[in-house]
Amino acid sequence: MNTCCLVTGGAGFIGGHFVRQWLREEEGELVNLDKLTYAANPDSLCEIASNPRYHFVNADIIDEEAVREVLEKYRPRSVVHLAAETHVDRSIADADIFVETNVVGTQRLLEASLDYYRSLSEEEQEAFRFLHVSTDEVYGPWLRAKAANETAPYHPSSPYAASKAAADHFVRAYHRTHDLPVLLTHCTNNFGPWQHEEKLIPMAILAALGRRPIPLYGDGLQRRDWLYVEDHCRALRLVLKQGHAGETYHIAAGSEKSNLKLVEAICDWAERLVSELSYRPIKNLITRVDDRPGHDRRYALDTTKIKTELHWTPEESFSTGLEKTIRWYWENRKKFGLDEEI
């Protein structure tokens, strides 16, 4: 059977890393279907644009007919669904696009994939997988000592989390009702090069390097587990190859940090990179702002299942991943409007 992989949202942050990693380390073709919204970064894909195994389709997952055409043309063995609206603050201000993309878009992608799946031979159906990439935020604030496992109940707090929870339910429903061979993953906060600057780590890095105030919500004691994006992509590829249809897998690094400690670590690295400090230490740029409505205090995922069943562990520590990330932003600071002589 064709070894082609269809990726939705492959011009986004995680999607771009997945696409590049796949073409480096896997065989077969890859099709990237992306709407190219504000969060997309086509520049991150320049290095693979001429790769004969790479195909780009500018389309929206809402457009079911366009998705059907792509499935029919390229005949993929797998669909990796990464296309989503992801920024929590934006979902609080206006939830409509989150419902449209994350819920309706996922359902239409599932419907097109189901019809495609039914057109396959028995051997091709056995190999086919639909991998839906979700988030730890569907579980809501997790304040228990023991981390959430794959059977934890859903309690989403933000419109973003609610939209991803709804998408998860649709994915499971298509498996239970129609026997579509799906896989689900929930990951913790990703970070790495090429991330959109509205996210916490790149925002803090660029503010620190540019000597601008670094906004920090509330007391800064919200806790998150930080996963280097390349480790996440390796886990997704492993789940796609070895995961059991209908199963859910948690992907996390075990690198839980408060937002305050995270930003302070970024400031420490920024001071090492900048030869001449400003009139005050960079940490003094940390500025408290009003907390976000419904801001969850903590997320925590239990990764026992993926470690024991699929033997996955992250390769990067928080420290090595953060160093690589900060150095990338430093080396590419002109892309973000920072003066060459900081």
Side-chain angles (χ1 to χ4, degrees):
M1 182 185 178
N2 192 348
T3 57
C4 177
C5 177
L6 169 61
V7 178
T8 69
F13 169 51
I14 298 173
H17 280 274
F18 183 90
V19 167
R20 294 191 299 275
Q21 188 181 102
W22 174 281
L23 291 170
R24 285 196 310 268
E25 302 185 22
E26 303 284 353
E27 298 179 353
E29 297 182 333
L30 184 143
V31 182
N32 173 13
L33 188 153
D34 199 294
K35 183 182 177 182
L36 296 182
T37 67
Y38 79 96
N41 197 334
D43 289 348
S44 72
L45 301 174
C46 287
E47 66 184 72
I48 60 167
S50 61
N51 189 320
R53 295 192 293 125
Y54 175 67
H55 310 278
F56 175 73
V57 179
N58 183 196
D60 190 342
I61 56 172
I62 290 288
D63 186 348
E64 192 173 328
E65 189 56 39
V67 173
R68 291 179 185 275
E69 290 176 4
V70 169
L71 290 168
E72 184 58 35
K73 179 178 180 178
Y74 292 101
R75 311 295 293 176
R77 183 169 66 181
S78 56
V79 175
V80 178
H81 180 31
L82 282 155
E85 292 286 340
T86 65
H87 193 53
V88 175
D89 286 8
R90 288 175 180 259
S91 79
I92 294 170
D94 184 1
D96 288 0
I97 188 63
F98 288 77
V99 175
E100 182 179 354
T101 298
N102 298 356
V103 185
V104 179
T106 297
Q107 186 275 327
R108 290 186 180 172
L109 180 64
L110 284 164
E111 192 67 23
S113 298
L114 176 62
D115 287 348
Y116 168 70
Y117 171 73
R118 287 171 170 168
S119 75
L120 300 175
S121 68
E122 185 176 342
E123 181 182 3
E124 289 171 330
Q125 287 184 348
E126 186 68 26
F128 181 80
R129 292 293 183 270
F130 182 105
L131 172 56
H132 173 64
V133 181
S134 190
T135 172
D136 56 1
E137 296 197 31
V138 299
Y139 299 118
W142 198 263
L143 303 179
R144 307 175 199 177
K146 188 174 181 181
N149 64 23
E150 286 81 358
T151 63
Y154 281 23
H155 292 290
S157 297
S158 69
Y160 159 66
S163 70
K164 291 296 288 185
D168 293 356
H169 291 318
F170 270 103
V171 172
R172 290 194 178 98
Y174 270 70
H175 174 68
R176 293 168 184 164
T177 303
H178 302 297
D179 294 322
L180 184 68
V182 306
L183 298 156
L184 280 83
T185 59
H186 295 272
C187 69
T188 54
N189 286 41
N190 278 222
F191 71 101
W194 291 109
Q195 191 168 23
H196 194 279
E197 54 264 37
E198 71 184 3
K199 300 292 186 175
L200 176 57
I201 286 184
M203 179 277 296
I205 292 171
L206 294 172
L209 294 178
R211 313 293 172 73
R212 302 190 302 267
I214 306 171
L216 185 68
Y217 279 135
D219 59 13
L221 299 183
Q222 304 88 357
R223 300 185 66 82
R224 302 291 185 264
D225 178 89
W226 293 95
L227 174 67
Y228 191 63
V229 63
E230 289 288 324
D231 280 325
H232 184 200
C233 294
R234 280 186 279 269
L236 294 177
R237 288 169 44 224
L238 186 61
V239 169
L240 200 58
K241 291 177 183 177
Q242 299 181 21
H244 300 290
E247 292 295 318
T248 300
Y249 299 89
H250 283 174
I251 305 171
S255 298
E256 198 173 317
K257 299 277 186 299
S258 72
N259 288 349
L260 176 59
K261 291 297 183 185
L262 170 68
V263 172
E264 287 178 342
I266 289 170
C267 291
D268 288 340
W269 267 108
E271 290 186 355
R272 294 175 206 171
L273 288 172
V274 179
S275 57
E276 294 183 6
L277 297 180
S278 57
Y279 67 93
R280 57 179 180 169
I282 291 178
K283 281 183 184 177
N284 288 357
L285 297 172
I286 298 173
T287 304
R288 304 300 175 94
V289 297
D290 291 341
D291 207 351
R292 182 169 69 201
H295 200 176
D296 293 334
R297 294 297 278 180
R298 178 178 180 252
Y299 304 125
L301 294 182
D302 182 347
T303 56
T304 300
K305 183 175 180 178
I306 194 171
K307 288 179 178 178
T308 56
E309 293 187 11
L310 305 185
H311 308 293
W312 174 85
T313 55
E315 295 181 11
E316 296 287 347
S317 68
F318 171 77
S319 179
T320 60
L322 187 63
E323 178 180 359
K324 288 181 178 181
T325 302
I326 294 174
R327 287 191 181 280
W328 184 87
Y329 281 96
W330 170 254
E331 292 164 2
N332 292 275
R333 56 194 179 274
K334 286 200 291 184
K335 291 180 184 287
F336 302 96
L338 293 179
D339 208 304
E340 182 140 10
E341 296 297 330
I342 295 182

